[in-house]
Coordinates of all heavy atoms in Angstrom, one line a residue:
N199 N 36.6 41.9 -98.5 CA 36.8 41.4 -97.2 C 35.5 40.6 -96.9 O 34.5 41.0 -96.1 CB 36.9 42.6 -96.2 CG 37.2 42.0 -94.8 OD1 37.2 40.9 -94.5 ND2 37.5 43.1 -93.9
P200 N 35.5 39.2 -97.3 CA 34.1 38.5 -97.3 C 33.8 38.3 -95.7 O 32.5 38.3 -95.5 CB 34.5 37.3 -97.9 CG 35.9 37.2 -98.1 CD 36.5 38.7 -98.1
L201 N 34.7 38.2 -94.8 CA 34.3 37.9 -93.4 C 33.3 39.1 -92.9 O 32.4 38.7 -92.0 CB 35.6 38.0 -92.5 CG 35.4 37.3 -91.1 CD1 35.2 35.8 -91.3 CD2 36.6 37.6 -90.3
R202 N 33.5 40.3 -93.3 CA 32.7 41.4 -93.0 C 31.2 41.2 -93.2 O 30.2 41.7 -92.6 CB 33.1 42.6 -93.6 CG 34.3 43.3 -93.1 CD 34.0 44.2 -91.9 NE 33.4 43.5 -90.7 CZ 34.2 42.7 -89.8 NH1 35.5 42.6 -90.0 NH2 33.6 42.1 -88.8
I203 N 30.9 40.4 -94.3 CA 29.6 40.1 -94.7 C 28.8 39.4 -93.6 O 27.6 39.7 -93.3 CB 29.6 39.2 -96.0 CG1 30.2 39.9 -97.2 CG2 28.0 38.8 -96.3 CD1 30.3 39.1 -98.3
L204 N 29.4 38.6 -92.8 CA 28.9 37.9 -91.7 C 28.5 38.9 -90.6 O 27.6 38.5 -89.7 CB 29.9 36.8 -91.1 CG 30.3 35.8 -92.0 CD1 31.5 34.9 -91.3 CD2 29.1 34.9 -92.2
D205 N 28.9 40.2 -90.7 CA 28.7 41.1 -89.5 C 27.5 42.1 -90.0 O 27.1 42.9 -89.3 CB 29.9 41.8 -89.3 CG 29.8 42.7 -88.0 OD1 29.3 42.1 -87.0 OD2 30.4 43.7 -87.9
C206 N 27.0 41.9 -91.3 CA 26.0 42.8 -91.8 C 24.7 42.8 -91.0 O 24.2 41.7 -90.8 CB 25.8 42.6 -93.3 SG 24.8 43.8 -94.1
K207 N 24.1 43.9 -90.9 CA 22.8 43.9 -90.1 C 21.7 44.0 -91.0 O 20.4 43.9 -90.6 CB 22.8 45.1 -89.1 CG 24.0 45.3 -88.2 CD 24.1 44.3 -87.1 CE 25.2 44.4 -86.1 NZ 26.5 44.0 -86.6
T208 N 21.8 44.1 -92.4 CA 20.7 44.2 -93.3 C 19.9 42.8 -93.2 O 20.5 41.8 -93.3 CB 21.2 44.4 -94.7 OG1 22.2 45.5 -94.6 CG2 20.1 44.9 -95.7
P209 N 18.6 43.0 -93.1 CA 17.8 41.7 -92.8 C 17.9 40.7 -94.0 O 18.1 39.5 -93.8 CB 16.4 42.2 -92.8 CG 16.4 43.6 -92.3 CD 17.7 44.2 -92.9
S210 N 18.1 41.2 -95.2 CA 18.1 40.3 -96.4 C 19.5 39.6 -96.3 O 19.7 38.3 -96.6 CB 18.1 40.9 -97.8 OG 19.0 41.9 -97.9
C211 N 20.6 40.3 -95.9 CA 21.9 39.6 -95.7 C 21.9 38.5 -94.6 O 22.5 37.5 -94.6 CB 22.9 40.7 -95.5 SG 23.3 41.8 -96.8
K212 N 21.3 39.1 -93.5 CA 21.2 38.2 -92.2 C 20.5 36.8 -92.7 O 21.0 35.7 -92.3 CB 20.4 38.8 -91.2 CG 21.3 39.8 -90.4 CD 20.5 40.3 -89.2 CE 21.1 40.0 -88.0 NZ 20.6 40.7 -86.7
A213 N 19.4 37.0 -93.5 CA 18.7 35.7 -93.8 C 19.5 34.9 -94.8 O 19.5 33.7 -94.5 CB 17.3 36.2 -94.5
A214 N 20.3 35.5 -95.8 CA 20.9 34.8 -96.7 C 22.1 34.0 -96.1 O 22.5 33.0 -96.6 CB 21.5 35.7 -97.9

Side-chain angles (χ1 to χ4, degrees):
N199 188 351
L201 197 68
R202 285 273 62 80
I203 298 175
L204 294 170
D205 197 38
C206 184
K207 307 286 181 292
T208 313
S210 60
C211 296
K212 276 182 123 173

